[in-house]
Each structure stands twice: as structure tokens, then as C-alpha cells.
Amino acid sequence: MGIGHHLETFRKLTASIPVKGKVNLSWEVGSTIAKIELNSPSTRNALTPSMMIDLAEIVDSLTYTSPPTYLVLAGANGTFCSGADIGVAKDTLMTTAGGSAMAGLMNSVTDAISSLRTVSFSAIDGAAYGGGAELCTATDFRCMRHDAKIRFVQCKMGVTTGWGGGRRLAEIVGKKEALRLLLLSEKVDADSAVRLGLADFMDDRKKKKKEGRAAEFREAFFASLGRSVADADMYENSSDFSSGDYALDLIERLKTPDDLVHSLKSVVGAKSAEEEIREFEKHWA
């Protein structure tokens, strides 16, 4: 069942709840890079019902139109997302019907992000907590600012993951590690996230010392693009930077043809040899 059915149900259920916060879609470079930005400063970008609806409509539109080559999911004002803003709709969402409607909608949204023929990045500044931690698992890559944190707080709240983040976390870091992170509700910093495989890039432009797997991965990545690690420090003296900028800089350096990017995304999600061969044939002749 796609986003549409869940969106209609959730919209009816939350129709009386005031609009608060917003989610914006912008195109960064021509029509090849799209950016979804969560914006609710007073709640550290916790998603209100109206923001969930905004996000669902945006993702649904990308599903049924020509998708961007790259998608960056980010939060405004130095924070990724601190989950769901339950306070604004407590009487509605803190019910069996409300929780089920929210989980249904957000599962369909995160599944749709994962299924896009688009290479997607979560640009994580500040906190990705609760639902925000689940949301970042929906993208292909996670880029964290060096002082950012990811935390699955659901267990501390007496609930399980409801937005699809539990099953995707297990796919990303393995079942045992996922269970540990969910049970203990640990704060995972950028270094630890890269080491676990939960994050793929660490934006450490403000850190002079680069060590461990994060630095090795970063150095190898830029080397593969014919660049030096020093290139990554181009914003070293800037006080106004975000992981969103860093993700865009990584995309800028890839310079891979759009149609090939879409095919590669299809290949890694292929369920059969026939599907992979079909994408191969598009570029072989």
C-alpha cells in the first residue's frame, strides 16, 4: 500500500490540529539535486502532523514524477530531526488509532524514500533522535557533522520503532548491533557511527586531527575521485557550514551521468539476475 492511502487517513485524523513547522523541497543544481529540509526551530525539527503531511506529499511527488539524481534530506537551524512533536497533537496521536495512522504514514514515506531511483543522503547536524534516527536510515548514505549524534530513544519511552527504522537499522549494522542500540538507547557520535557502518561520511572540516576508520574512509573516498583530503577542508575557516553543504560537495565531485546513477540504484536493489541484466543492457550497447 502506497503513501496515498495512509496520507488520506492521517490527514482526516489530524485535520483539526494547527499547522506548525514546514518541510520544503528545493532544487540545488539545475534539476539533478533535490533537497528536502525539515524546519521547526522551536522543536528542534521534531515532525508535527502538518510536517509529516508535507513530507509525505513531497516524497509522493518524487515517486510519481521524474526523480532527481541525488536527494539530500536535512534539517534547518543546525539540527536534523528530534523525532515526532507529540505535544502539539497529544490527544490525537497518543491513541491506538492515532499511533497506527502515524506509523502507517511514516513507514510508507520512509519506504518510498528507500525505493526512489535516486541516490539519497541524510545530512545530519545536531541531533537525529527517535523518529529522526529512524528517518535517516531511509536514505542510502548518512553524512554526519563531527559533533552530531544519533539516538534511538524509543525504548526509553516504552515503545518500539514505528517508522521502519528498526528493520532498516538491522540491515545497516546487523541484527545484534541494532538490538543493542535499540535496547540501550545510546547516543552514537559521528566517529562511532562511521565505525559501526551507521554513518558513511563524517564532516570533520573543523577537526584538525583525523584518525581511525572515519579518516581512512574519507581519504580513500577523495583519492578515488582524484582529490586530496585537503580538498575536503575547503570550508575550514568558515563558521557557517552544515553537513548539507558537505553532502552537496560530495555529490558535486561524483560527476556520474544521471542515467547511470539511476541504474546503479536499481542494481543494488535488484531481486533477480534479470533485473540486474536489464540495467546492464541499458548502458552496454
Side-chain angles (χ1 to χ4, degrees):
M1 195 176 295
I3 291 176
H5 169 77
H6 294 291
L7 180 57
E8 181 181 353
T9 300
F10 190 75
R11 199 195 302 275
K12 289 179 180 177
L13 185 69
T14 61
S16 63
I17 299 172
V19 172
K20 181 182 179 182
K22 55 186 178 180
V23 180
N24 298 313
L25 173 67
S26 60
W27 296 86
E28 296 292 332
V29 181
S31 60
T32 63
I33 303 175
K35 181 179 181 181
I36 297 175
E37 185 175 66
L38 316 176
N39 194 342
S40 181
S42 64
T43 61
R44 300 174 71 199
N45 298 332
L47 296 185
T48 62
S50 63
M51 291 174 70
M52 293 179 195
I53 291 171
D54 286 348
L55 180 60
E57 290 176 339
I58 288 171
V59 173
D60 201 36
S61 72
L62 295 177
T63 302
Y64 292 104
T65 59
S66 180
T69 305
Y70 302 100
L71 174 66
V72 177
L73 179 60
N77 307 299
T79 297
F80 182 71
C81 175
S82 54
D85 185 359
I86 302 298
V88 75
K90 187 174 182 179
D91 292 340
T92 301
L93 296 184
M94 295 300 289
T95 63
T96 300
S100 177
M102 178 180 67
L105 177 63
M106 293 306 294
N107 257 278
S108 67
V109 168
T110 53
D111 282 349
I113 292 173
S114 297
S115 300
L116 287 172
R117 279 173 59 86
T118 296
V119 175
S120 54
F121 293 78
S122 286
I124 304 170
D125 296 326
Y129 285 1
E134 294 195 62
L135 190 58
C136 78
T137 66
T139 55
D140 298 312
F141 300 104
R142 280 150 296 283
C143 176
M144 294 180 69
R145 181 166 155 159
H146 68 87
D147 53 358
K149 302 286 192 300
I150 296 175
R151 188 183 187 191
F152 292 85
V153 298
Q154 288 83 349
C155 191
K156 293 290 186 185
M157 299 170 63
V159 297
T160 62
T161 52
W163 296 4
R167 54 189 164 86
R168 283 191 299 270
L169 180 63
E171 293 173 358
I172 294 168
V173 301
K175 183 178 178 180
K176 184 171 75 171
E177 192 60 47
L179 188 59
R180 187 181 71 82
L181 292 175
L182 293 171
L183 285 172
L184 298 181
S185 296
E186 291 181 343
K187 289 183 181 179
V188 184
D189 61 25
D191 281 311
S192 299
V194 172
R195 187 173 64 253
L196 291 171
L198 180 55
D200 305 281
F201 306 100
M202 182 174 69
D203 176 4
D204 57 359
R205 291 171 294 190
K206 286 288 182 177
K207 295 181 73 176
K208 294 294 186 179
K209 187 176 181 181
K210 303 172 179 68
E211 56 188 7
R213 181 180 167 192
E216 294 169 3
F217 189 101
R218 187 163 174 263
E219 184 173 359
F221 178 80
F222 279 93
S224 71
L225 301 177
R227 304 289 183 122
S228 68
V229 176
D231 289 333
D233 297 326
M234 60 188 299
Y235 303 104
E236 184 66 36
N237 297 319
S238 172
S239 59
D240 181 20
F241 67 95
S242 71
S243 287
D245 299 327
Y246 191 72
L248 291 173
D249 188 52
L250 291 174
I251 292 169
E252 181 78 19
R253 296 171 190 275
L254 290 174
K255 300 190 184 304
T256 304
D258 293 355
D259 59 342
L260 182 56
V261 171
H262 292 309
S263 286
L264 289 172
K265 182 62 188 292
S266 295
V267 165
V268 298
K271 303 298 183 184
S272 68
E274 288 77 13
E275 291 180 50
E276 186 166 0
I277 291 170
R278 187 162 55 245
E279 295 299 331
F280 171 79
E281 289 173 342
K282 291 179 182 179
H283 304 280
W284 182 251

